[in-house]
């Protein structure tokens, strides 16, 4: 099967089929559809490559539903050719290519069948070709050429069908069994047995070839079944959502950047930023698209909240867990489902200009703008990892029934689920101030959570959570390593889970690497080994696979559960941003395939909740949107140290960016005294360091003080009160 047939959803970077890389014409071989067929439409278009090189001329040609483009060795001046309906059946648009091999071999292909085309209203020469994997930004010499190109693209897409004739390749594949025959002769095997072996090999190969042909035909049939109607969608019906990525460059930034045009993801980030910048200026698009119908998540906000809090009760489970009917009758106040509308229009930040303005300054005194933050603190991020606390409720129920194996399986699933919230979160949380706290009272989840920043250098945060039959505690200290384009975070701390029946589990988090800090789309991946040790019969080892550029199935997690004798009794597999399945028993062969959930006996332990119906630039989940909510009733109960009362974070959530930057600078100036205060004997209010293992443990008393509204020792560290005294070490006891 040809490479172009194997990847119809991609803009391929490769050679024309049949070129072999060694043709006399330098790889400019016939098009994918039919060798020797001349292009139907061709011409020069200017393609946006990257920030460093900008617009570059490329030779584009349409052949049988595939658009190919190649580099031009020497620049050709843009001259219109109205009479260039050239000889040989080739229709030239715009400019004619230079004579004598002016274009190199094709470097990319776009399958028009699954592509859409859009015009830019702000620039009558620019248009876009949008595929499922990337967007090509193109520009013509004049407005007339743009209309001609779009008409040619739409026509080529409507006339072409993927359901081509595969019969020509059915008998091309052949092989010889001569080496097998010679080897068997050398071993003294008789002629009759040799012929039987050859017949077996031929039969197996024939069956494999037939299966591959059938799969190819099914795939091509699926692509060909896509609706063919071409409609114009009004811009009023089109909602363009900004990509949840950290834009480190302004639209008009001219900083240098390099990205190879032979890459499948060539300058996709830059193209996305350019496109988003245009849309933010009020640009309207006319889409010439292929209509597709998908079912939407039409549940009401109440239903979505119930699914969130109850933990997707539609999961297939080995055991049917009991439901607390009494809690079902309780009525809880509804939590918000979206952030407030921004008061101001957010302005982008140029990383290079920021670096230029701070050259030679003390970096410890440089305040990063709130553009790089999300409206949550690190203390709230700790609680976000308990979004799927229902897994611990299930683990508790399993233990009561004497099923210790299912208990540790649910604990392992909970340990993995904490990483799901890190997917596509381009912004960093606010660093809490020394003594800052955060409480979370979620009666619908039957949990009470509390956390406090207990040390500034090194930065340590401690948390304590109580649920139905279990207690969860831990402290975290991140050790970072900066590698230029990426940063590696190594957690230092132990998480402890204690059940009321005395069973305890402990584990440490794995390494997190954040990539593309300077250029490109920011993303993170988690890798390493997580050992969940218990004080009774079972233990679990989870392996987070390290991601590579060539890995087609990233973010994998695999694990095994062993009993006290070291015997493997269960296996787990999944992805930390999707789901976790398990199989009871030691059948390792079922874990090697990616389709474990389709195997007999596989059980779905955990699945990530659906994304929020009200997406934001920060890509917060429905649960994360509720973490910083502040109602008048709640404000009366909170201590002055709670993260919800932090002014810069509150201004950022409200979209008041100028005020947020000013408050952030003020608070960071106050916070620089924290190290001196800590050296002067400052102690955390609600946690105490354990003399045996050095961890921080909750000393109690917070919820009792909350009921009485007595916050002795909790000062206004944010300076929200006009009468608040200046921050001093003695006032932060």
């Amino acid at each position: 099967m040809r490479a172009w047939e194997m990847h119809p959803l991609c803009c391929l970077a490769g050679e024309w089929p049949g070129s072999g890389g060694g043709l006399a014409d330098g790889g400019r071989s016939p098009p994918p559809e039919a060798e020797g067929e001349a292009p139907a439409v061709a011409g020069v278009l200017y393609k946006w490559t990257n920030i460093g090189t900008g617009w570059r001329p490329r030779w584009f040609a349409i052949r049988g539903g595939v658009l190919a483009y190649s580099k031009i060795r020497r620049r050709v001046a843009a001259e219109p050719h109205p009479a260039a309906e050239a000889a040989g059946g080739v229709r030239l648009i715009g400019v004619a290519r230079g004579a004598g091999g002016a274009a190199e071999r094709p470097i990319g292909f776009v399958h028009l069948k699954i592509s859409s085309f859009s015009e830019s209203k702000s620039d009558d020469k620019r248009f876009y070709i949008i595929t499922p994997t990337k967007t090509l930004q193109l520009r013509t010499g004049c407005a007339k050429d743009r209309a001609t190109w779009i008409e040619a693209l739409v026509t080529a897409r409507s006339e072409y069908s993927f359901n081509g004739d595969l019969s020509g390749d059915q008998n091309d594949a052949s092989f010889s069994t001569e080496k097998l025959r010679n080897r068997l002769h050398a071993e003294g095997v008789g002629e009759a047995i040799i012929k039987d072996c050859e017949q077996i090999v031929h039969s197996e190969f024939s069956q494999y070839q037939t299966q591959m042909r059938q799969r190819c035909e099914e795939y091509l049939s699926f692509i060909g079944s896509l609706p063919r109607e071409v409609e114009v969608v009004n811009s009023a019906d089109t909602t363009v959502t900004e990509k949840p990525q950290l834009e480190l460059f302004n639209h008009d930034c001219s900083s240098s950047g390099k990205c190879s045009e032979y890459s499948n993801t060539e300058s996709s980030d830059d193209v996305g930023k350019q496109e988003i910048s245009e849309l933010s200026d009020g640009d309207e698009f006319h889409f010439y698209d292929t209509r597709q119908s998908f079912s939407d998540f039409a549940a009401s906000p109440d239903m979505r909240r119930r699914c969130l809090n109850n933990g997707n009760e539609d999961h297939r489970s080995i055991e049917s867990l009991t439901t607390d009917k009494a809690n079902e009758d309780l009525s809880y106040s509804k939590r918000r489902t979206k952030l407030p509308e921004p008061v101001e229009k957010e302005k982008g930040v140029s990383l290079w200009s920021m670096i230029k303005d701070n050259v030679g300054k003390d970096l410890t005194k440089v305040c990063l703008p709130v553009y790089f933050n999300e409206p949550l603190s690190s203390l709230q991020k700790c609680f976000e990892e308990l979004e799927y606390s229902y897994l611990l409720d299930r683990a508790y129920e399993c233990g009561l029934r004497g099923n210790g194996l299912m208990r540790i399986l649910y604990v392992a699933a909970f340990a993995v689920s904490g990483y799901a919230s890190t997917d596509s979160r381009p912004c960093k949380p606010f660093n809490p101030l020394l003594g800052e706290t955060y409480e979370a009272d979620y009666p619908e989840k039957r949990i009470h959570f509390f956390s406090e920043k207990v040390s500034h250098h090194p930065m340590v945060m401690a948390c304590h959570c109580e649920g139905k039959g279990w207690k969860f505690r831990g402290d975290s200290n991140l050790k970072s390593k900066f590698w230029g384009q990426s940063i590696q975070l190594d957690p230092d701390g132990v998480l402890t889970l204690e059940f009321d029946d005395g069973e305890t589990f402990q584990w440490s988090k794995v390494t997190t690497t954040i990539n593309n800090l300077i250029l490109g789309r920011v993303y993170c991946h988690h890798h390493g080994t997580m050992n969940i040790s218990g004080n009774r019969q079972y233990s679990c080892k989870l392996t987070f696979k390290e991601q590579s550029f060539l890995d087609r199935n990233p973010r994998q997690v695999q694990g095994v559960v062993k009993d006290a004798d070291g015997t493997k009794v269960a296996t787990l597999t999944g992805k930390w941003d999707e789901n976790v399945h398990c199989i009871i028993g030691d059948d390792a062969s079922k874990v090697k395939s990616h389709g474990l959930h389709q195997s007999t006996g596989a059980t779905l332990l955990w699945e990530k909740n659906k994304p929020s119906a009200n997406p934001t630039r920060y890509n917060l989940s429905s649960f994360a949107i509720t973490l910083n909510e502040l109602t008048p009733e709640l404000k009366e109960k909170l201590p002055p140290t709670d993260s919800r009362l932090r002014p810069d974070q509150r201004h950022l959530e409200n979209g008041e960016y100028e005020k947020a930057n000013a408050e952030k600078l003020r608070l960071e100036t106050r916070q620089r005294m924290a190290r001196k205060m800590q050296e002067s004997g400052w102690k955390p209010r609600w946690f105490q360091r354990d003399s045996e293992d050095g961890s921080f443990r909750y000393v109690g008393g917070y919820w009792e003080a909350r009921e009485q509204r007595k916050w002795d020792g909790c000062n206004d560290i944010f300076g929200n009160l006009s009468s608040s005294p200046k921050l001093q070490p003695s006032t932060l006891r």
Side-chain angles (χ1 to χ4, degrees):
M1 182 179 292
R2 298 187 178 110
W4 67 272
E5 292 175 334
M6 295 173 64
H7 305 278
L9 295 181
C10 299
C11 296
L12 294 180
E15 299 177 354
W16 290 102
S19 66
L23 296 178
D25 61 355
R28 295 185 300 277
S29 57
E33 286 66 39
E35 297 185 1
E37 178 186 348
V41 180
V44 174
L45 289 172
Y46 288 86
K47 177 178 178 293
W48 177 265
T49 55
N50 54 56
I51 295 178
T53 56
W55 298 93
R56 307 296 294 177
R58 298 289 181 261
W59 180 256
F60 283 78
I62 301 176
R63 291 182 174 94
V66 176
L67 177 67
Y69 58 92
S70 56
K71 289 185 177 180
I72 301 177
R73 291 199 184 116
R74 66 169 179 262
R75 187 181 299 273
V76 180
E79 300 176 358
H81 288 262
E85 304 297 332
V90 181
R91 179 188 176 192
L92 296 179
I93 301 178
V95 302
R97 185 174 42 160
E104 299 179 352
R105 70 187 182 191
I107 59 175
F109 303 99
V110 179
H111 287 267
L112 303 179
K113 183 66 179 179
I114 39 79
S115 301
S116 59
F117 321 115
S118 60
E119 294 179 342
S120 172
K121 191 174 181 180
S122 61
D123 187 348
D124 58 1
K125 301 177 184 179
R126 188 181 304 178
F127 69 99
Y128 305 89
I129 299 178
I130 304 170
T131 73
T133 57
K134 69 181 297 184
T135 298
L136 295 182
Q137 189 172 183
L138 306 174
R139 193 178 65 188
T140 61
C142 61
K144 180 180 178 181
D145 288 346
R146 183 182 74 170
T148 306
W149 266 108
I150 290 183
E151 180 184 359
L153 291 169
V154 171
T155 302
R157 182 182 62 185
S158 62
E159 292 177 351
Y160 178 67
S161 173
F162 271 113
N163 294 321
D165 185 11
L166 301 178
S167 60
D169 296 331
Q170 291 180 2
N171 299 321
D172 291 346
S174 62
F175 65 96
S176 173
T177 58
E178 183 179 356
K179 291 184 179 180
L180 176 62
R181 171 178 286 274
N182 294 338
R183 184 71 177 89
L184 293 177
H185 271 305
E187 295 294 334
V189 180
E191 185 66 23
I193 298 179
I194 293 177
K195 290 183 178 181
D196 289 342
C197 292
E198 289 180 329
Q199 183 63 29
I200 293 174
V201 172
H202 278 287
S203 176
E204 292 294 329
F205 179 78
S206 177
Q207 293 180 10
Y208 175 76
Q209 187 180 17
T210 301
Q211 293 175 1
M212 292 300 295
R213 187 183 304 115
Q214 290 176 350
R215 290 191 178 186
C216 180
E217 291 175 349
E218 292 175 358
Y219 183 69
L220 296 180
S221 176
F222 166 74
I223 296 297
S225 65
L226 295 176
R228 301 189 176 209
E229 306 89 45
V230 178
E231 300 185 7
V232 178
V233 181
N234 293 328
S235 59
D237 298 333
T238 304
T239 302
V240 181
T241 303
E242 181 176 338
K243 295 181 182 178
Q245 62 182 15
L246 181 59
E247 293 183 87
L248 299 180
F249 297 91
N250 287 334
H251 167 62
D252 54 352
C253 178
S254 59
S255 303
S256 62
K258 186 175 181 181
C259 200
S260 172
E261 225 178 324
Y262 288 88
S263 170
N264 284 350
T265 59
E266 171 216 352
S267 63
S268 58
D269 297 315
D270 299 329
V271 172
K273 294 171 186 175
Q274 185 88 357
E275 183 180 3
I276 291 169
S277 181
E278 279 200 13
L279 296 179
S280 64
D281 294 334
D283 193 12
E284 297 181 3
F285 284 107
H286 296 281
F287 283 91
Y288 301 80
D289 208 345
T290 303
R291 181 172 295 277
Q292 297 182 0
S293 299
F294 298 96
S295 60
D296 296 330
F297 180 62
S300 63
D302 291 343
M303 181 63 69
R304 285 193 296 270
R305 182 173 61 87
R306 206 167 86 182
C307 290
L308 171 69
N309 296 330
N310 293 340
N312 293 339
E313 293 292 339
D314 58 339
H315 293 344
R316 293 178 291 112
S317 304
I318 290 180
E319 300 201 12
S320 176
L321 301 176
T322 59
T323 304
D324 192 343
K325 297 297 181 181
N327 281 302
E328 290 184 355
D329 297 331
L330 294 177
S331 58
Y332 304 110
S333 59
K334 293 184 179 180
R335 302 189 184 274
R336 67 181 182 181
T337 59
K338 63 179 182 179
L339 296 180
E341 293 296 330
V343 176
E344 305 171 7
K345 183 178 180 181
E346 190 172 20
K347 298 179 181 179
V349 177
S350 172
L351 179 65
W352 299 118
S353 63
M354 188 180 65
I355 294 176
K356 179 187 66 176
D357 295 339
N358 292 281
V359 171
K361 296 182 180 179
D362 184 0
L363 294 181
T364 61
K365 298 182 180 181
V366 174
C367 179
L368 292 177
V370 294
Y371 177 81
F372 297 103
N373 290 94
E374 62 182 10
L376 293 175
S377 72
S378 296
L379 297 174
Q380 292 167 316
K381 290 280 288 186
C382 292
F383 178 60
E384 190 178 1
E385 296 183 8
L386 279 93
E387 176 178 357
Y388 303 94
S389 61
Y390 70 88
L391 295 171
L392 300 183
D393 296 338
R394 293 182 178 181
Y396 173 69
E397 295 286 346
C398 289
L400 292 182
R401 301 183 180 190
N403 194 337
L405 178 56
M406 281 305 301
R407 168 175 281 189
I408 193 172
L409 286 173
Y410 278 119
V411 171
F414 169 78
V416 175
S417 69
Y419 294 96
S421 61
T422 63
D423 181 31
S424 300
R425 295 281 284 272
C427 299
K428 64 182 291 291
F430 282 88
N431 289 329
L433 276 63
L434 185 64
E436 185 174 335
T437 63
Y438 176 73
E439 69 158 61
D441 183 15
Y442 278 62
E444 65 271 28
K445 283 179 167 289
R446 294 171 291 189
I447 57 176
H448 298 275
F449 173 89
F450 179 76
S451 59
E452 180 183 10
K453 182 176 179 180
V454 296
S455 174
H456 180 66
H457 188 79
M459 192 182 80
V460 180
M461 295 173 293
C463 67
H464 178 87
C465 184
E466 297 182 5
K468 181 184 177 183
W470 53 268
K471 294 180 181 179
F472 176 81
R473 61 180 172 85
D475 52 56
S476 63
N477 174 26
L478 292 177
K479 297 181 179 179
S480 60
K481 298 178 182 178
F482 182 66
W483 302 106
Q485 180 70 341
S486 64
I487 186 172
Q488 178 178 316
L489 304 176
D490 297 310
D492 182 16
V494 177
L495 303 178
T496 303
L497 175 64
E498 300 177 354
F499 289 100
D500 288 353
D501 58 8
E503 188 167 13
T504 303
F505 295 96
Q506 288 187 327
W507 67 90
S508 297
K509 306 189 72 173
V510 297
T511 300
T512 298
T513 301
I514 304 175
N515 302 280
N516 295 342
L517 294 177
I518 304 299
L519 180 64
R521 182 179 65 86
V522 177
Y523 72 95
C524 72
H525 69 277
H526 312 283
H527 52 93
T529 302
M530 176 185 292
N531 293 301
I532 303 177
S533 58
N535 62 345
R536 291 186 180 176
Q537 186 177 2
Y538 298 105
S539 62
C540 178
K541 180 180 180 181
L542 294 172
T543 301
F544 289 68
K545 184 179 179 181
E546 187 167 2
Q547 185 173 339
S548 64
F549 290 103
L550 302 179
D551 192 357
R552 296 185 178 181
N553 194 27
R555 305 181 176 185
Q556 293 185 70
V557 180
Q558 293 186 353
V560 294
V561 176
K562 297 182 179 180
D563 59 15
D565 298 329
T567 304
K568 183 170 64 174
V569 294
T571 55
L572 300 99
T573 191
K575 294 185 176 183
W576 53 262
D577 64 330
E578 290 184 4
N579 52 52
V580 173
H581 293 79
C582 75
I583 287 184
I584 305 297
D586 56 353
D587 189 358
S589 62
K590 295 181 180 179
V591 199
K592 294 181 180 179
S593 64
H594 300 314
L596 175 65
H597 59 284
Q598 298 175 353
S599 304
T600 304
T603 301
L604 180 63
L605 295 174
W606 162 77
E607 186 175 32
K608 183 180 178 180
N609 290 328
K610 294 182 180 296
S612 171
N614 301 289
T616 65
R617 178 177 79 86
Y618 315 105
N619 202 32
L620 300 179
S621 64
S622 300
F623 180 70
I625 289 176
T626 68
L627 300 183
N628 201 46
E629 182 179 9
L630 183 62
T631 62
E633 296 79 11
L634 179 60
K635 187 175 182 180
E636 296 177 357
K637 302 177 182 179
L638 293 177
T641 56
D642 195 275
S643 295
R644 296 181 183 88
L645 303 178
R646 181 167 175 159
D648 53 353
Q649 184 174 311
R650 181 60 55 186
H651 286 313
L652 176 61
E653 181 182 282
N654 294 333
E656 301 170 315
Y657 306 110
E658 294 296 334
K659 293 182 179 180
N661 279 316
E663 287 293 336
K664 187 172 186 290
L665 177 61
R666 180 182 67 86
L667 291 178
E668 290 190 1
T669 302
R670 292 165 61 94
Q671 182 65 4
R672 292 191 182 101
M673 294 186 291
R675 186 168 184 174
K676 294 182 179 179
M677 291 186 297
Q678 191 170 339
E679 293 175 351
S680 301
W682 180 91
K683 300 295 182 182
R685 174 65 177 84
W686 307 104
F687 288 85
Q688 184 176 358
R689 185 184 293 273
D690 191 300
S691 58
E692 296 182 0
D693 56 11
S695 64
F696 285 88
R697 294 177 180 265
Y698 176 60
V699 297
Y702 175 83
W703 299 103
E704 292 77 8
R706 184 179 187 269
E707 291 295 328
Q708 301 175 9
R709 309 288 200 278
K710 293 183 178 180
W711 301 114
D712 298 336
C714 296
N715 292 276
D716 180 26
I717 61 175
F718 304 128
N720 289 323
L721 302 177
S722 57
S723 59
S724 175
K726 187 176 180 180
L727 197 63
Q728 297 292 340
S730 58
T731 65
L732 289 175
R733 283 288 296 175

